[in-house]
Amino acid sequence: MRALMNLAVEPALRLFEVSALVVIDPSRQAVQRVLKVMADTPMGAIHIVRERYPRSKAHQILSCRALDFASLA
């Protein structure tokens, strides 16, 4: 997975894994997305994930947990 980073929102100091349920099409079918996001706070990571899917009709955050960079190597 790619790490998402939006420096306009906040500086990327930590890595979070955010699981979200996203409603994309008009038939109201939802898909679950798990994204690795670089942000400063958990709320900032959630904000970046919501901005990632601007055409979505609804977002539901299932989980948000901090990751350490050592676990990625």
Side-chain angles (χ1 to χ4, degrees):
M1 278 186 219
R2 293 185 333 200
L4 302 175
M5 184 170 60
N6 186 349
L7 294 176
V9 175
E10 60 186 17
L13 300 177
R14 296 171 57 194
L15 185 66
F16 294 91
E17 184 176 80
V18 181
S19 176
L21 205 57
V22 180
V23 178
I24 295 178
D25 58 31
S27 65
R28 305 286 298 169
Q29 290 183 343
V31 293
Q32 182 178 358
R33 300 286 187 222
V34 179
L35 303 165
K36 289 183 175 52
V37 180
M38 295 181 76
D40 189 34
T41 63
M43 289 306 296
I46 291 170
H47 182 72
I48 291 170
V49 169
R50 286 189 172 142
E51 283 186 350
R52 175 72 171 95
Y53 296 99
R55 299 179 72 193
S56 173
K57 305 295 182 206
H59 298 86
Q60 180 180 0
I61 302 301
L62 303 174
S63 69
C64 179
R65 66 184 184 108
L67 299 174
D68 57 345
F69 288 105
S71 67
L72 298 176

Short mmCIF file of all heavy atoms in Angstrom, two decimals:
data_model
loop_
_atom_site.label_atom_id
_atom_site.label_comp_id
_atom_site.label_asym_id
_atom_site.label_seq_id
_atom_site.Cartn_x
_atom_site.Cartn_y
_atom_site.Cartn_z
N MET A 1 0.83 -1.20 0.00
CA MET A 1 0.00 0.00 0.00
C MET A 1 0.86 1.25 0.00
O MET A 1 1.93 1.25 0.56
CB MET A 1 -0.87 0.01 1.25
CG MET A 1 -2.10 -0.80 1.15
SD MET A 1 -3.06 -0.53 2.62
CE MET A 1 -3.61 -2.18 2.84
N ARG A 2 0.34 2.27 -0.60
CA ARG A 2 1.06 3.53 -0.61
C ARG A 2 0.69 4.34 0.62
O ARG A 2 -0.42 4.25 1.13
CB ARG A 2 0.67 4.34 -1.84
CG ARG A 2 1.12 3.73 -3.11
CD ARG A 2 0.82 4.62 -4.28
NE ARG A 2 -0.31 5.51 -4.06
CZ ARG A 2 -0.97 6.07 -5.03
NH1 ARG A 2 -0.65 5.85 -6.25
NH2 ARG A 2 -1.98 6.88 -4.77
N ALA A 3 1.61 5.10 1.08
CA ALA A 3 1.34 6.03 2.19
C ALA A 3 0.80 7.32 1.60
O ALA A 3 1.30 7.82 0.61
CB ALA A 3 2.61 6.30 2.98
N LEU A 4 -0.27 7.82 2.19
CA LEU A 4 -0.85 9.08 1.74
C LEU A 4 -0.30 10.19 2.62
O LEU A 4 -0.18 10.05 3.82
CB LEU A 4 -2.37 9.04 1.87
CG LEU A 4 -3.08 7.94 1.12
CD1 LEU A 4 -4.55 7.96 1.45
CD2 LEU A 4 -2.88 8.11 -0.35
N MET A 5 0.01 11.30 2.00
CA MET A 5 0.54 12.41 2.78
C MET A 5 0.00 13.70 2.21
O MET A 5 0.05 13.91 1.00
CB MET A 5 2.06 12.41 2.75
CG MET A 5 2.69 13.48 3.61
SD MET A 5 4.47 13.30 3.78
CE MET A 5 5.01 13.41 2.10
N ASN A 6 -0.51 14.56 3.04
CA ASN A 6 -1.00 15.86 2.62
C ASN A 6 -0.39 16.90 3.55
O ASN A 6 -0.89 17.14 4.63
CB ASN A 6 -2.53 15.88 2.68
CG ASN A 6 -3.10 17.15 2.11
OD1 ASN A 6 -2.38 18.12 1.86
ND2 ASN A 6 -4.40 17.16 1.90
N LEU A 7 0.70 17.52 3.11
CA LEU A 7 1.39 18.47 3.96
C LEU A 7 0.61 19.76 4.15
O LEU A 7 0.89 20.54 5.05
CB LEU A 7 2.78 18.78 3.39
CG LEU A 7 3.75 17.60 3.40
CD1 LEU A 7 5.05 17.98 2.72
CD2 LEU A 7 4.01 17.13 4.80
N ALA A 8 -0.40 20.00 3.31
CA ALA A 8 -1.22 21.19 3.48
C ALA A 8 -2.11 21.07 4.71
O ALA A 8 -2.48 22.06 5.32
CB ALA A 8 -2.08 21.41 2.23
N VAL A 9 -2.45 19.85 5.10
CA VAL A 9 -3.31 19.64 6.27
C VAL A 9 -2.49 19.76 7.54
O VAL A 9 -2.84 20.48 8.46
CB VAL A 9 -4.02 18.27 6.18
CG1 VAL A 9 -4.81 18.00 7.43
CG2 VAL A 9 -4.92 18.22 4.97
N GLU A 10 -1.41 19.04 7.63
CA GLU A 10 -0.55 19.07 8.81
C GLU A 10 0.76 18.36 8.49
O GLU A 10 0.82 17.57 7.55
CB GLU A 10 -1.24 18.42 10.00
CG GLU A 10 -1.62 16.98 9.78
CD GLU A 10 -2.43 16.43 10.93
OE1 GLU A 10 -2.96 17.19 11.72
OE2 GLU A 10 -2.52 15.20 11.00
N PRO A 11 1.81 18.62 9.25
CA PRO A 11 3.08 17.94 8.98
C PRO A 11 2.98 16.45 9.29
O PRO A 11 2.29 16.05 10.23
CB PRO A 11 4.07 18.64 9.93
CG PRO A 11 3.22 19.23 10.99
CD PRO A 11 1.90 19.55 10.36
N ALA A 12 3.63 15.65 8.49
CA ALA A 12 3.57 14.20 8.66
C ALA A 12 4.67 13.75 9.62
O ALA A 12 5.83 13.69 9.25
CB ALA A 12 3.71 13.52 7.32
N LEU A 13 4.29 13.48 10.85
CA LEU A 13 5.26 13.06 11.85
C LEU A 13 5.09 11.61 12.28
O LEU A 13 6.01 11.02 12.81
CB LEU A 13 5.16 13.97 13.08
CG LEU A 13 5.43 15.45 12.82
CD1 LEU A 13 5.21 16.25 14.09
CD2 LEU A 13 6.83 15.65 12.30
N ARG A 14 3.90 11.05 12.08
CA ARG A 14 3.64 9.68 12.51
C ARG A 14 2.89 8.94 11.41
O ARG A 14 2.31 9.54 10.51
CB ARG A 14 2.79 9.69 13.79
CG ARG A 14 3.54 10.33 14.94
CD ARG A 14 2.68 10.55 16.15
NE ARG A 14 2.08 9.32 16.63
CZ ARG A 14 1.08 9.30 17.50
NH1 ARG A 14 0.59 10.42 17.98
NH2 ARG A 14 0.56 8.17 17.90
N LEU A 15 2.89 7.62 11.49
CA LEU A 15 2.22 6.79 10.51
C LEU A 15 1.03 6.11 11.18
O LEU A 15 1.16 5.54 12.26
CB LEU A 15 3.18 5.74 9.95
CG LEU A 15 2.67 4.87 8.83
CD1 LEU A 15 2.40 5.71 7.59
CD2 LEU A 15 3.67 3.78 8.51
N PHE A 16 -0.14 6.18 10.53
CA PHE A 16 -1.35 5.57 11.05
C PHE A 16 -1.93 4.64 10.00
O PHE A 16 -1.78 4.86 8.80
CB PHE A 16 -2.41 6.64 11.37
CG PHE A 16 -2.03 7.55 12.49
CD1 PHE A 16 -1.35 8.72 12.25
CD2 PHE A 16 -2.34 7.22 13.80
CE1 PHE A 16 -1.00 9.57 13.29
CE2 PHE A 16 -1.99 8.06 14.84
CZ PHE A 16 -1.32 9.23 14.58
N GLU A 17 -2.60 3.58 10.46
CA GLU A 17 -3.35 2.70 9.58
C GLU A 17 -4.82 2.96 9.86
O GLU A 17 -5.29 2.76 10.98
CB GLU A 17 -3.01 1.24 9.84
CG GLU A 17 -3.69 0.29 8.88
CD GLU A 17 -3.26 -1.14 9.10
OE1 GLU A 17 -3.78 -1.75 10.04
OE2 GLU A 17 -2.40 -1.62 8.36
N VAL A 18 -5.54 3.43 8.85
CA VAL A 18 -6.94 3.79 9.00
C VAL A 18 -7.78 2.86 8.14
O VAL A 18 -7.54 2.71 6.95
CB VAL A 18 -7.18 5.26 8.57
CG1 VAL A 18 -8.64 5.63 8.75
CG2 VAL A 18 -6.29 6.20 9.37
N SER A 19 -8.76 2.23 8.77
CA SER A 19 -9.70 1.37 8.07
C SER A 19 -11.01 2.12 7.97
O SER A 19 -11.55 2.58 8.97
CB SER A 19 -9.88 0.06 8.84
OG SER A 19 -10.85 -0.74 8.22
N ALA A 20 -11.53 2.24 6.74
CA ALA A 20 -12.75 3.02 6.53
C ALA A 20 -13.69 2.29 5.60
O ALA A 20 -13.27 1.57 4.69
CB ALA A 20 -12.40 4.38 5.94
N LEU A 21 -14.97 2.48 5.84
CA LEU A 21 -16.03 1.99 4.96
C LEU A 21 -16.47 3.17 4.11
O LEU A 21 -16.86 4.20 4.65
CB LEU A 21 -17.18 1.46 5.81
CG LEU A 21 -18.09 0.42 5.21
CD1 LEU A 21 -17.30 -0.79 4.77
CD2 LEU A 21 -19.14 0.01 6.21
N VAL A 22 -16.38 3.04 2.79
CA VAL A 22 -16.63 4.15 1.89
C VAL A 22 -17.75 3.77 0.93
O VAL A 22 -17.71 2.71 0.31
CB VAL A 22 -15.35 4.49 1.08
CG1 VAL A 22 -15.60 5.64 0.15
CG2 VAL A 22 -14.19 4.79 2.02
N VAL A 23 -18.77 4.63 0.83
CA VAL A 23 -19.87 4.43 -0.12
C VAL A 23 -19.53 5.23 -1.37
O VAL A 23 -19.48 6.46 -1.33
CB VAL A 23 -21.21 4.89 0.49
CG1 VAL A 23 -22.33 4.73 -0.52
CG2 VAL A 23 -21.51 4.13 1.76
N ILE A 24 -19.30 4.53 -2.48
CA ILE A 24 -18.81 5.20 -3.67
C ILE A 24 -19.89 5.38 -4.74
O ILE A 24 -20.03 6.44 -5.30
CB ILE A 24 -17.61 4.43 -4.26
CG1 ILE A 24 -16.45 4.47 -3.26
CG2 ILE A 24 -17.19 5.00 -5.59
CD1 ILE A 24 -15.24 3.71 -3.69
N ASP A 25 -20.66 4.36 -5.02
CA ASP A 25 -21.59 4.47 -6.15
C ASP A 25 -23.02 4.76 -5.69
O ASP A 25 -23.34 4.62 -4.51
CB ASP A 25 -21.52 3.21 -7.02
CG ASP A 25 -21.84 1.94 -6.25
OD1 ASP A 25 -22.63 2.00 -5.30
OD2 ASP A 25 -21.30 0.89 -6.62
N PRO A 26 -23.88 5.17 -6.61
CA PRO A 26 -25.26 5.53 -6.25
C PRO A 26 -26.09 4.36 -5.70
O PRO A 26 -27.09 4.59 -5.05
CB PRO A 26 -25.85 6.03 -7.57
CG PRO A 26 -24.70 6.35 -8.43
CD PRO A 26 -23.57 5.47 -8.00
N SER A 27 -25.68 3.13 -5.95
CA SER A 27 -26.45 1.99 -5.45
C SER A 27 -26.20 1.74 -3.96
O SER A 27 -26.70 0.80 -3.39
CB SER A 27 -26.11 0.72 -6.24
OG SER A 27 -24.75 0.37 -6.02
N ARG A 28 -25.40 2.62 -3.33
CA ARG A 28 -25.13 2.59 -1.89
C ARG A 28 -24.31 1.37 -1.47
O ARG A 28 -24.35 0.97 -0.32
CB ARG A 28 -26.41 2.67 -1.07
CG ARG A 28 -27.32 3.84 -1.36
CD ARG A 28 -26.82 5.13 -0.84
NE ARG A 28 -26.71 5.11 0.61
CZ ARG A 28 -26.10 6.04 1.32
NH1 ARG A 28 -25.57 7.06 0.71
NH2 ARG A 28 -26.01 5.96 2.61
N GLN A 29 -23.57 0.77 -2.39
CA GLN A 29 -22.69 -0.32 -2.02
C GLN A 29 -21.43 0.27 -1.41
O GLN A 29 -20.88 1.24 -1.91
CB GLN A 29 -22.33 -1.17 -3.23
CG GLN A 29 -23.48 -1.99 -3.74
CD GLN A 29 -23.06 -2.88 -4.89
OE1 GLN A 29 -22.02 -2.67 -5.50
NE2 GLN A 29 -23.87 -3.87 -5.20
N ALA A 30 -20.99 -0.34 -0.33
CA ALA A 30 -19.82 0.17 0.39
C ALA A 30 -18.63 -0.77 0.19
O ALA A 30 -18.80 -1.97 0.02
CB ALA A 30 -20.13 0.29 1.87
N VAL A 31 -17.45 -0.18 0.21
CA VAL A 31 -16.22 -0.96 0.16
C VAL A 31 -15.36 -0.56 1.35
O VAL A 31 -15.41 0.57 1.82
CB VAL A 31 -15.44 -0.72 -1.15
CG1 VAL A 31 -16.19 -1.27 -2.33
CG2 VAL A 31 -15.13 0.73 -1.35
N GLN A 32 -14.61 -1.53 1.85
CA GLN A 32 -13.72 -1.24 2.97
C GLN A 32 -12.33 -0.96 2.41
O GLN A 32 -11.81 -1.71 1.59
CB GLN A 32 -13.66 -2.42 3.93
CG GLN A 32 -12.77 -2.14 5.12
CD GLN A 32 -12.75 -3.29 6.12
OE1 GLN A 32 -13.43 -4.28 5.94
NE2 GLN A 32 -11.97 -3.15 7.15
N ARG A 33 -11.74 0.13 2.86
CA ARG A 33 -10.40 0.51 2.46
C ARG A 33 -9.52 0.59 3.70
O ARG A 33 -9.94 1.12 4.73
CB ARG A 33 -10.39 1.88 1.77
CG ARG A 33 -11.22 1.94 0.52
CD ARG A 33 -10.52 1.22 -0.60
NE ARG A 33 -11.24 1.42 -1.85
CZ ARG A 33 -11.46 0.46 -2.72
NH1 ARG A 33 -11.02 -0.74 -2.50
NH2 ARG A 33 -12.12 0.70 -3.82
N VAL A 34 -8.32 0.06 3.60
CA VAL A 34 -7.33 0.17 4.67
C VAL A 34 -6.16 0.95 4.10
O VAL A 34 -5.54 0.52 3.13
CB VAL A 34 -6.87 -1.21 5.18
CG1 VAL A 34 -5.83 -1.07 6.26
CG2 VAL A 34 -8.06 -2.01 5.69
N LEU A 35 -5.90 2.12 4.68
CA LEU A 35 -4.88 3.02 4.16
C LEU A 35 -3.83 3.32 5.22
O LEU A 35 -4.16 3.44 6.40
CB LEU A 35 -5.52 4.34 3.72
CG LEU A 35 -6.63 4.21 2.68
CD1 LEU A 35 -7.41 5.50 2.60
CD2 LEU A 35 -6.04 3.87 1.35
N LYS A 36 -2.60 3.44 4.78
CA LYS A 36 -1.53 3.91 5.65
C LYS A 36 -1.37 5.40 5.38
O LYS A 36 -1.17 5.80 4.24
CB LYS A 36 -0.25 3.14 5.40
CG LYS A 36 -0.33 1.72 5.90
CD LYS A 36 0.96 1.00 5.72
CE LYS A 36 0.96 -0.37 6.31
NZ LYS A 36 -0.12 -1.22 5.93
N VAL A 37 -1.49 6.19 6.43
CA VAL A 37 -1.53 7.64 6.29
C VAL A 37 -0.46 8.26 7.18
O VAL A 37 -0.33 7.89 8.35
CB VAL A 37 -2.92 8.19 6.70
CG1 VAL A 37 -2.97 9.68 6.55
CG2 VAL A 37 -4.01 7.53 5.88
N MET A 38 0.29 9.21 6.63
CA MET A 38 1.25 9.96 7.43
C MET A 38 0.58 11.23 7.91
O MET A 38 0.08 12.02 7.11
CB MET A 38 2.49 10.27 6.60
CG MET A 38 3.25 9.02 6.21
SD MET A 38 4.71 9.37 5.25
CE MET A 38 5.77 9.95 6.57
N ALA A 39 0.53 11.40 9.24
CA ALA A 39 -0.12 12.57 9.84
C ALA A 39 0.50 12.81 11.20
O ALA A 39 1.35 12.05 11.67
CB ALA A 39 -1.62 12.34 9.95
N ASP A 40 0.06 13.88 11.86
CA ASP A 40 0.57 14.21 13.19
C ASP A 40 -0.31 13.63 14.29
O ASP A 40 0.19 13.25 15.34
CB ASP A 40 0.66 15.74 13.33
CG ASP A 40 1.39 16.16 14.58
OD1 ASP A 40 2.32 15.44 14.99
OD2 ASP A 40 1.04 17.19 15.15
N THR A 41 -1.61 13.56 14.05
CA THR A 41 -2.56 13.08 15.07
C THR A 41 -3.51 12.06 14.44
O THR A 41 -3.67 12.03 13.21
CB THR A 41 -3.40 14.25 15.62
OG1 THR A 41 -4.18 14.79 14.54
CG2 THR A 41 -2.52 15.34 16.22
N PRO A 42 -4.18 11.24 15.25
CA PRO A 42 -5.18 10.31 14.70
C PRO A 42 -6.32 11.03 13.98
O PRO A 42 -6.77 10.59 12.93
CB PRO A 42 -5.69 9.56 15.94
CG PRO A 42 -4.63 9.71 16.95
CD PRO A 42 -3.96 11.02 16.68
N MET A 43 -6.78 12.15 14.53
CA MET A 43 -7.86 12.90 13.88
C MET A 43 -7.38 13.47 12.53
O MET A 43 -8.16 13.54 11.58
CB MET A 43 -8.37 14.02 14.78
CG MET A 43 -9.15 13.52 15.98
SD MET A 43 -10.53 12.43 15.55
CE MET A 43 -11.55 13.53 14.62
N GLY A 44 -6.12 13.86 12.45
CA GLY A 44 -5.56 14.33 11.19
C GLY A 44 -5.52 13.22 10.15
O GLY A 44 -5.80 13.44 8.97
N ALA A 45 -5.19 12.00 10.58
CA ALA A 45 -5.17 10.85 9.67
C ALA A 45 -6.57 10.56 9.15
O ALA A 45 -6.75 10.30 7.95
CB ALA A 45 -4.60 9.63 10.39
N ILE A 46 -7.56 10.62 10.01
CA ILE A 46 -8.95 10.40 9.60
C ILE A 46 -9.38 11.49 8.63
O ILE A 46 -10.05 11.22 7.63
CB ILE A 46 -9.87 10.34 10.83
CG1 ILE A 46 -9.57 9.05 11.62
CG2 ILE A 46 -11.33 10.41 10.44
CD1 ILE A 46 -10.24 8.97 12.97
N HIS A 47 -8.99 12.72 8.89
CA HIS A 47 -9.33 13.83 8.00
C HIS A 47 -8.73 13.62 6.61
O HIS A 47 -9.40 13.85 5.59
CB HIS A 47 -8.82 15.14 8.62
CG HIS A 47 -9.15 16.35 7.83
ND1 HIS A 47 -10.41 16.87 7.75
CD2 HIS A 47 -8.37 17.15 7.06
CE1 HIS A 47 -10.40 17.93 6.95
NE2 HIS A 47 -9.15 18.12 6.53
N ILE A 48 -7.50 13.15 6.53
CA ILE A 48 -6.86 12.90 5.25
C ILE A 48 -7.57 11.78 4.49
O ILE A 48 -7.79 11.87 3.28
CB ILE A 48 -5.37 12.57 5.44
CG1 ILE A 48 -4.63 13.82 5.91
CG2 ILE A 48 -4.74 12.03 4.16
CD1 ILE A 48 -3.21 13.57 6.37
N VAL A 49 -7.99 10.72 5.20
CA VAL A 49 -8.71 9.62 4.55
C VAL A 49 -10.04 10.12 3.99
O VAL A 49 -10.43 9.78 2.88
CB VAL A 49 -8.92 8.45 5.53
CG1 VAL A 49 -9.89 7.42 4.95
CG2 VAL A 49 -7.59 7.78 5.83
N ARG A 50 -10.74 10.94 4.74
CA ARG A 50 -12.02 11.48 4.24
C ARG A 50 -11.81 12.37 3.02
O ARG A 50 -12.63 12.36 2.11
CB ARG A 50 -12.73 12.24 5.35
CG ARG A 50 -13.30 11.30 6.38
CD ARG A 50 -14.19 12.01 7.36
NE ARG A 50 -14.86 11.01 8.19
CZ ARG A 50 -15.09 11.16 9.47
NH1 ARG A 50 -14.75 12.27 10.08
NH2 ARG A 50 -15.69 10.22 10.15
N GLU A 51 -10.71 13.12 2.98
CA GLU A 51 -10.41 13.94 1.81
C GLU A 51 -9.99 13.09 0.61
O GLU A 51 -10.09 13.52 -0.52
CB GLU A 51 -9.31 14.94 2.13
CG GLU A 51 -9.77 16.11 2.94
CD GLU A 51 -8.68 17.16 3.11
OE1 GLU A 51 -7.52 16.87 2.77
OE2 GLU A 51 -9.00 18.24 3.59
N ARG A 52 -9.51 11.89 0.86
CA ARG A 52 -9.04 10.99 -0.21
C ARG A 52 -10.20 10.54 -1.09
O ARG A 52 -10.03 10.24 -2.26
CB ARG A 52 -8.34 9.80 0.42
CG ARG A 52 -7.90 8.71 -0.54
CD ARG A 52 -6.72 9.19 -1.37
NE ARG A 52 -6.16 8.11 -2.14
CZ ARG A 52 -6.50 7.85 -3.40
NH1 ARG A 52 -7.38 8.58 -4.01
NH2 ARG A 52 -5.94 6.85 -4.03
N TYR A 53 -11.40 10.46 -0.53
CA TYR A 53 -12.59 10.02 -1.27
C TYR A 53 -13.63 11.13 -1.28
O TYR A 53 -14.69 11.04 -0.66
CB TYR A 53 -13.18 8.76 -0.63
CG TYR A 53 -12.23 7.59 -0.70
CD1 TYR A 53 -11.45 7.24 0.38
CD2 TYR A 53 -12.11 6.85 -1.87
CE1 TYR A 53 -10.55 6.18 0.31
CE2 TYR A 53 -11.23 5.79 -1.95
CZ TYR A 53 -10.45 5.46 -0.86
OH TYR A 53 -9.59 4.41 -0.94
N PRO A 54 -13.39 12.23 -2.02
CA PRO A 54 -14.32 13.36 -1.99
C PRO A 54 -15.67 13.07 -2.65
O PRO A 54 -16.66 13.69 -2.31
CB PRO A 54 -13.57 14.46 -2.75
CG PRO A 54 -12.64 13.72 -3.63
CD PRO A 54 -12.26 12.47 -2.89
N ARG A 55 -15.72 12.11 -3.56
CA ARG A 55 -16.97 11.81 -4.25
C ARG A 55 -17.81 10.78 -3.50
O ARG A 55 -18.89 10.42 -3.94
CB ARG A 55 -16.68 11.31 -5.66
CG ARG A 55 -15.95 12.37 -6.48
CD ARG A 55 -15.63 11.90 -7.86
NE ARG A 55 -16.88 11.84 -8.62
CZ ARG A 55 -17.00 11.22 -9.79
NH1 ARG A 55 -15.95 10.62 -10.31
NH2 ARG A 55 -18.14 11.22 -10.42
N SER A 56 -17.32 10.31 -2.38
CA SER A 56 -18.05 9.33 -1.59
C SER A 56 -19.28 9.96 -0.97
O SER A 56 -19.28 11.11 -0.55
CB SER A 56 -17.15 8.78 -0.48
OG SER A 56 -17.90 7.96 0.38
N LYS A 57 -20.35 9.20 -0.92
CA LYS A 57 -21.61 9.68 -0.32
C LYS A 57 -21.56 9.61 1.19
O LYS A 57 -22.27 10.33 1.87
CB LYS A 57 -22.78 8.86 -0.83
CG LYS A 57 -22.90 8.82 -2.33
CD LYS A 57 -23.21 10.19 -2.89
CE LYS A 57 -23.38 10.10 -4.39
NZ LYS A 57 -23.09 11.31 -5.07
N ALA A 58 -20.75 8.71 1.74
CA ALA A 58 -20.65 8.55 3.20
C ALA A 58 -19.32 7.89 3.55
O ALA A 58 -18.76 7.14 2.76
CB ALA A 58 -21.81 7.70 3.73
N HIS A 59 -18.83 8.19 4.74
CA HIS A 59 -17.62 7.58 5.26
C HIS A 59 -17.93 7.04 6.65
O HIS A 59 -18.64 7.67 7.42
CB HIS A 59 -16.49 8.61 5.45
CG HIS A 59 -16.06 9.27 4.18
ND1 HIS A 59 -16.68 10.38 3.69
CD2 HIS A 59 -15.06 8.98 3.33
CE1 HIS A 59 -16.08 10.75 2.57
NE2 HIS A 59 -15.10 9.92 2.33
N GLN A 60 -17.40 5.89 6.95
CA GLN A 60 -17.47 5.36 8.31
C GLN A 60 -16.09 4.84 8.66
O GLN A 60 -15.57 3.93 8.01
CB GLN A 60 -18.50 4.24 8.41
CG GLN A 60 -18.61 3.66 9.80
CD GLN A 60 -19.63 2.54 9.87
OE1 GLN A 60 -20.28 2.19 8.90
NE2 GLN A 60 -19.77 1.97 11.04
N ILE A 61 -15.47 5.44 9.67
CA ILE A 61 -14.14 5.02 10.11
C ILE A 61 -14.30 3.80 11.01
O ILE A 61 -15.00 3.86 12.03
CB ILE A 61 -13.42 6.16 10.83
CG1 ILE A 61 -13.31 7.40 9.92
CG2 ILE A 61 -12.04 5.71 11.31
CD1 ILE A 61 -12.58 7.17 8.63
N LEU A 62 -13.69 2.70 10.65
CA LEU A 62 -13.79 1.47 11.43
C LEU A 62 -12.70 1.39 12.49
O LEU A 62 -12.95 0.93 13.60
CB LEU A 62 -13.72 0.25 10.51
CG LEU A 62 -14.79 0.22 9.40
CD1 LEU A 62 -14.53 -0.96 8.47
CD2 LEU A 62 -16.17 0.15 10.00
N SER A 63 -11.49 1.82 12.14
CA SER A 63 -10.40 1.82 13.12
C SER A 63 -9.30 2.76 12.67
O SER A 63 -9.18 3.08 11.49
CB SER A 63 -9.83 0.40 13.29
OG SER A 63 -9.14 0.01 12.13
N CYS A 64 -8.52 3.21 13.64
CA CYS A 64 -7.36 4.05 13.38
C CYS A 64 -6.32 3.70 14.43
O CYS A 64 -6.58 3.86 15.63
CB CYS A 64 -7.73 5.53 13.45
SG CYS A 64 -6.34 6.63 13.17
N ARG A 65 -5.18 3.19 13.98
CA ARG A 65 -4.15 2.82 14.94
C ARG A 65 -2.79 3.33 14.46
O ARG A 65 -2.53 3.43 13.27
CB ARG A 65 -4.10 1.32 15.17
CG ARG A 65 -3.68 0.52 13.98
CD ARG A 65 -3.75 -0.99 14.26
NE ARG A 65 -3.27 -1.73 13.11
CZ ARG A 65 -2.11 -2.36 13.08
NH1 ARG A 65 -1.33 -2.37 14.12
NH2 ARG A 65 -1.73 -3.00 12.00
N ALA A 66 -1.96 3.67 15.42
CA ALA A 66 -0.63 4.19 15.13
C ALA A 66 0.29 3.01 14.78
O ALA A 66 0.21 1.95 15.38
CB ALA A 66 -0.09 4.96 16.31
N LEU A 67 1.16 3.23 13.80
CA LEU A 67 2.17 2.25 13.42
C LEU A 67 3.54 2.86 13.69
O LEU A 67 3.71 4.07 13.63
CB LEU A 67 2.07 1.92 11.93
CG LEU A 67 0.77 1.30 11.44
CD1 LEU A 67 0.80 1.17 9.92
CD2 LEU A 67 0.57 -0.06 12.06
N ASP A 68 4.51 2.01 13.97
CA ASP A 68 5.86 2.52 14.09
C ASP A 68 6.62 2.19 12.81
O ASP A 68 6.33 1.22 12.13
CB ASP A 68 6.58 1.96 15.33
CG ASP A 68 6.61 0.44 15.34
OD1 ASP A 68 5.86 -0.18 14.58
OD2 ASP A 68 7.39 -0.11 16.12
N PHE A 69 7.56 3.03 12.45
CA PHE A 69 8.28 2.86 11.19
C PHE A 69 9.13 1.60 11.19
O PHE A 69 9.41 1.05 10.15
CB PHE A 69 9.14 4.09 10.91
CG PHE A 69 8.33 5.30 10.53
CD1 PHE A 69 8.13 6.33 11.42
CD2 PHE A 69 7.74 5.38 9.29
CE1 PHE A 69 7.38 7.44 11.07
CE2 PHE A 69 6.98 6.48 8.92
CZ PHE A 69 6.81 7.52 9.82
N ALA A 70 9.54 1.12 12.35
CA ALA A 70 10.37 -0.09 12.42
C ALA A 70 9.60 -1.33 11.97
O ALA A 70 10.17 -2.27 11.44
CB ALA A 70 10.89 -0.26 13.84
N SER A 71 8.28 -1.34 12.16
CA SER A 71 7.48 -2.51 11.79
C SER A 71 7.31 -2.63 10.28
O SER A 71 6.89 -3.66 9.79
CB SER A 71 6.13 -2.45 12.47
OG SER A 71 5.36 -1.37 11.95
N LEU A 72 7.60 -1.56 9.53
CA LEU A 72 7.43 -1.60 8.08
C LEU A 72 8.62 -2.19 7.37
O LEU A 72 8.53 -2.61 6.23
CB LEU A 72 7.18 -0.18 7.55
CG LEU A 72 5.91 0.49 8.08
CD1 LEU A 72 5.84 1.91 7.57
CD2 LEU A 72 4.69 -0.29 7.69
N ALA A 73 9.77 -2.23 8.02
CA ALA A 73 10.98 -2.73 7.37
C ALA A 73 11.03 -4.25 7.35
O ALA A 73 10.38 -4.94 7.96
CB ALA A 73 12.21 -2.20 8.11
#
